Amino acid sequence: MVWLGGLITPVSIVLWVYAFFDALTTPAQEARNLPKVLWLVVIALFMPVGSILWLFLGRPRRPAAVQSDTPSPAQAVSVDDLDPSDFAKPSDSPHPLGPDDDPEFLRRLGRRIDPDE
C-alpha cells in the first residue's frame, strides 16, 4: 500500500504543476466556466481536484478540424516533389544569409588566419 502512495503523490504533483501552468498561460478570454484568476485559485487551493476540474471544465476546447478536399500546404508538398535545384537558387535578399555566403567576411577571415598574405 505504501508503494501506491509513493506513486499517487508524484503523479498528483505533476498533474497540479501541469494544470497550474496550463491555466496560467491560457488567454483569459479562452478560459471556460470561471474567470482565469478564479481557476488559478481553485487549482492552487484544491490540489488534485482543482487540477482535474481545470482539465475537464476550464481548459479551452480545441477547434474541431475542418475536413476539406483541398490539401493543406503541409500536405501538398511531399519529399518526392522536392527538387534539389530549388535549394541552390540564390535568395532574393540583398544581404547574405550566412557568414560563409559573404565574400567580405571570407576575405577578413582569410586575413585573420594568415596575415602575411
Side-chain angles (χ1 to χ4, degrees), residues 13-44:
I13 291 172
V14 167
L15 178 66
W16 180 81
V17 169
Y18 173 77
F20 187 79
F21 283 106
D22 187 40
L24 192 64
T25 58
T26 298
Q29 63 271 17
E30 291 183 16
R32 296 185 299 148
N33 298 327
L34 291 175
K36 177 180 175 176
V37 175
L38 196 54
W39 272 119
L40 291 170
V41 171
V42 167
I43 294 169

Side-chain angles (χ1 to χ4, degrees), residues 41-114:
V41 171
V42 167
I43 294 169
L45 291 180
F46 307 108
M47 187 174 171
V49 177
S51 302
I52 294 170
L53 288 174
W54 165 254
L55 292 176
F56 288 107
L57 300 176
R59 196 162 192 237
R61 291 186 180 157
R62 294 181 185 215
V66 178
Q67 297 294 332
S68 65
D69 293 335
T70 58
S72 69
Q75 295 171 340
V77 178
S78 71
V79 177
D80 297 330
D81 295 336
L82 294 177
D83 184 14
S85 64
D86 291 340
F87 299 107
K89 293 179 184 174
S91 67
D92 296 333
S93 173
H95 303 289
L97 294 177
D100 56 341
D101 295 335
D102 187 3
E104 180 59 32
F105 173 79
L106 295 174
R107 275 193 288 280
R108 286 192 317 240
L109 185 62
R111 281 189 230 125
R112 281 178 52 195
I113 292 173
D114 193 11

Side-chain angles (χ1 to χ4, degrees), residues 1-19:
M1 195 65 167
V2 173
W3 67 270
L4 186 61
L7 181 66
I8 290 175
T9 302
V11 168
S12 65
I13 291 172
V14 167
L15 178 66
W16 180 81
V17 169
Y18 173 77

